[in-house]
Amino acid sequence: MTIDNTEGARAQIGVTGLAVMGSNIARNFARHGHTVALHNRSIAKTDALIAEHGSEGDFVRTETIEEFVGALQKPRRVLIMVKAGDPTDAVIEELAAAMEPGDIIIDGGNALYTDTIRREASLRERGLHFVGAGISGGEEGALNGPSIMPGGPKESYAALGPLLESIAAQVDGTPCCTHIGPDGSGHFVKMVHNGIEYADMQLIGEAYNLLGSALGYDAGKIADVFTEWNGGDLESYLVEITAEVLRQTDAKTGKPLVDVIVDAAEQKGTGRWTVKSALDLGVPVTGIAEAVFARALSGSRQQRKAAVGLASGVLADKPTDAAQFTEDIRQALYASKVVAYAQGFDQIAAGSAEYDWDLHPADLATIWRGGCIIRARFLNRIKDAYDENPTLPSLILAPYFRDAIETAIDSWRRVVSTATLLGIPVPAFASSLSYYDALRAERLPAALTQGQRDFFGAHTYERVDAEGKFHTLWSGDRSEVRA
Ligand code: NBP
């Protein structure tokens, strides 16, 4: 039903930015019994939403920002769903000028968390609450239940939480939405979520490539393998849709669709942001970084074209036991996935410490169980691991995952070595295994690095048998001095 805006301030929530995400979230609110004020820069999208879906609930049609703000109950709650970046700043400025202290502005776009920190600080000075909310699940999730990661002032969650929780995905009666922490924490966590998503997709891609290139399986047969895997520990949205994509036939050629799609992966930027932030925080998110670089390499089309035909060296024979190698790939995928999540959670811990956010990993695992792109059965295990030990040094050390990797390790090594001997690229499988081997090593070659740094730059080193810093007089008599 469309409510005449002359009826006064009666909407519980307003949504501005009615492209695919905003219109689906507005419909989700309305379907849950909330009256929703609608606004979009160009009125056409507002009218289209009302014409096509106006019967789904109570919508208030507005044209100007003043009219939009005037249609809202106090404290006013406005969700911005516009293109991230400058458009978000422009919309915030317009809204802030029309709103009053105590009102709440929520940015549900994919904002860079440092922008959210800046915006929150500036709006706080004006008495407004600003909530940077990561929203995952794509357009389908927005309509039927996303995973929502709202940051910002805790007080604002009292007025906002019940509304957001009502439209979020639910798992075992628990909404996939919780207050994450102050200022930019919601968008930070969403960014790392997307980084993990990149790693997960790359790992699935490597498994698909191995099944095709090492075992000669066609798309349909690989789809069957993924469907089977989805019945076990690997059960997840991404594995499920992988089978669907692989099973799709191209209407024009009759071939599997995947075989006619150009093999150059694009990216919108959240994976890159995750890696940049990890570099600043000094957290080795090797799986995520390999995934971002793998997309970049796939997109270097001219270079790749020029490099086709470069020497491969002598390649090994393909595996003869297809069932065993398929199981090896499944195990390698699972173990590498554990590493990707472990690294993502390490980054979240580092961000929490850097910005004093007091983030709770078990809460994140809980709200990622449904609605979002990385939803997976295995998030229950992550939640259990952090419930049991909230200060776990690494997810890999939780008993369940430690055992799972112990079961997978031989397969994992076979997959990485076989892929290498066959000349099949597996950057994420290989770097995850190297990360694991480095983490468990008693000694690393970093000792030599420290020696080199001291040699050319007098950067000093620590000793295994004494406290303090030391320097060797490399260009003198090579005796050691305390620094
Ligand atoms: P888009 O990111 O394509 O943005 C389109 C919307 O932004 C339209 O409503 C447009 O108004 C509005 N807009 C622009 Br562009 N510039 C504006 C300005 N200067 N002032 C006011 N409005 C402006 O929409 P989307 O794909 O629905 O995504 C919305 C947000 O949600 C983005 O931040 C996105 O990153 C995030 N997100 C998207 C997904 C997804 O799966 N697509 C998932 C999760 C999060 P107009 O109609 O007048 O041009």
Side-chain angles (χ1 to χ4, degrees):
M1 179 174 76
T2 312
I3 296 166
D4 188 339
N5 196 28
T6 54
E7 286 184 30
R10 53 165 301 170
Q12 282 97 44
I13 182 100
V15 180
T16 181
L18 300 173
V20 57
M21 288 294 287
S23 54
N24 279 1
I25 288 194
R27 290 170 62 197
N28 191 347
F29 276 121
R31 287 174 175 191
H32 283 88
H34 309 296
T35 299
V36 189
L38 300 176
H39 178 268
N40 194 68
R41 178 177 59 175
S42 49
I43 192 70
K45 282 198 177 69
T46 313
D47 285 338
L49 171 53
I50 288 171
E52 287 165 39
H53 307 287
S55 60
E56 290 179 5
D58 293 343
F59 296 105
V60 184
R61 176 188 183 276
T62 72
E63 291 192 23
T64 65
I65 283 280
E66 292 69 27
E67 207 188 331
F68 177 57
V69 169
L72 297 163
Q73 289 177 0
K74 294 183 187 177
R76 301 181 182 93
R77 289 161 292 209
V78 169
L79 174 63
I80 303 176
M81 290 305 298
V82 302
K83 198 173 166 66
D86 293 343
T88 306
D89 280 314
V91 174
I92 289 174
E93 204 35 59
E94 267 192 281
L95 282 169
M99 291 171 97
E100 292 172 352
D103 289 346
I104 306 169
I105 297 177
I106 310 124
D107 175 18
N110 267 337
L112 182 59
Y113 72 96
T114 45
D115 284 343
T116 304
I117 293 175
R118 165 180 61 78
R119 288 166 182 154
E120 197 276 332
S122 136
L123 289 174
R124 188 168 359 111
E125 275 183 16
R126 297 160 77 169
L128 292 163
H129 293 275
F130 184 67
V131 172
I135 300 182
S136 177
E139 51 184 290
E140 199 270 338
L143 183 62
N144 296 318
S147 176
I148 311 179
M149 296 150 249
K154 182 121 193 152
E155 324 71 277
S156 59
Y157 198 76
L160 188 62
L163 263 174
L164 296 182
E165 289 179 14
S166 72
I167 64 154
Q170 314 278 322
V171 175
D172 303 335
T174 305
C176 294
C177 172
T178 191
H179 181 248
I180 301 294
D183 54 71
S185 59
H187 276 135
F188 180 85
V189 160
K190 168 64 166 46
M191 175 191 77
V192 178
H193 162 286
N194 282 26
I196 294 172
E197 178 185 312
Y198 270 61
D200 211 343
M201 291 171 71
Q202 173 64 22
L203 292 167
I204 289 172
E206 290 178 18
Y208 150 74
N209 196 27
L210 282 168
L211 289 165
S213 303
L215 296 180
Y217 289 5
D218 63 17
K221 195 157 177 185
I222 301 173
D224 292 342
V225 172
F226 276 103
T227 299
E228 195 188 318
W229 288 354
N230 201 41
D233 285 342
L234 281 171
E235 182 188 320
S236 62
Y237 172 73
L238 283 170
V239 169
E240 182 189 328
I241 66 159
T242 298
E244 289 205 33
V245 172
L246 290 171
R247 233 172 243 125
Q248 182 72 20
T249 302
D250 174 44
K252 193 169 152 199
T253 59
K255 293 181 182 171
L257 177 67
V258 71
D259 292 344
V260 297
I261 295 179
V262 172
D263 59 345
E266 296 179 4
Q267 45 186 320
K268 279 196 169 170
T270 45
R272 195 164 45 228
W273 289 350
T274 312
V275 177
K276 280 185 180 173
S277 147
L279 289 172
D280 288 340
L281 293 167
V283 184
V285 293
T286 57
I288 299 170
E290 286 297 351
V292 174
F293 288 135
R295 288 199 193 186
L297 193 154
S298 77
S300 306
R301 295 208 227 175
Q302 280 190 338
Q303 230 180 8
R304 285 179 56 203
K305 202 169 161 197
V308 167
L310 287 183
S312 68
V314 177
L315 300 178
D317 292 334
K318 294 189 170 165
T320 47
D321 188 341
Q324 176 62 52
F325 196 60
T326 302
E327 173 58 12
D328 284 348
I329 298 170
R330 189 184 74 83
Q331 294 283 3
L333 178 54
Y334 191 80
S336 304
K337 199 169 148 144
V338 173
V339 168
Y341 278 74
Q343 294 177 343
F345 275 93
D346 284 351
Q347 185 170 355
I348 286 168
S352 181
E354 173 76 16
Y355 296 101
D356 213 4
W357 281 333
D358 190 26
L359 303 181
H360 300 280
D363 290 354
L364 304 179
T366 303
I367 64 166
W368 289 348
R369 291 182 307 162
C372 65
I373 304 295
I374 63 169
R375 61 183 181 262
R377 181 201 280 199
F378 123 137
L379 278 155
N380 278 314
R381 303 291 188 181
I382 298 180
K383 175 185 176 322
D384 293 347
Y386 281 115
D387 275 343
E388 208 168 285
N389 181 2
T391 56
L392 204 57
S394 165
L395 197 58
I396 291 171
L397 294 167
Y400 178 84
F401 292 114
R402 196 186 176 121
D403 290 351
I405 292 183
E406 201 174 313
T407 305
I409 188 72
D410 294 340
S411 291
W412 200 5
R413 290 197 193 289
R414 272 197 296 274
V415 166
V416 171
S417 55
T418 305
T420 306
L421 291 171
L422 290 171
I424 300 170
V426 283
F429 278 156
S431 80
S432 305
L433 180 56
S434 277
Y435 171 86
Y436 175 75
D437 280 333
L439 199 63
R440 63 179 197 84
E442 275 182 36
R443 289 279 291 165
L444 288 171
L448 176 60
T449 308
Q450 285 296 83
Q452 292 163 328
R453 292 179 71 246
D454 191 57
F455 187 102
F456 64 68
H459 292 306
T460 75
Y461 50 85
E462 291 177 272
R463 293 183 57 96
V464 294
D465 54 2
E467 291 291 311
K469 297 268 188 186
F470 297 86
H471 168 57
T472 291
L473 301 170
W474 296 102
S475 39
D477 64 0
R478 303 215 163 178
S479 61
E480 186 180 71
V481 293
R482 275 189 181 273

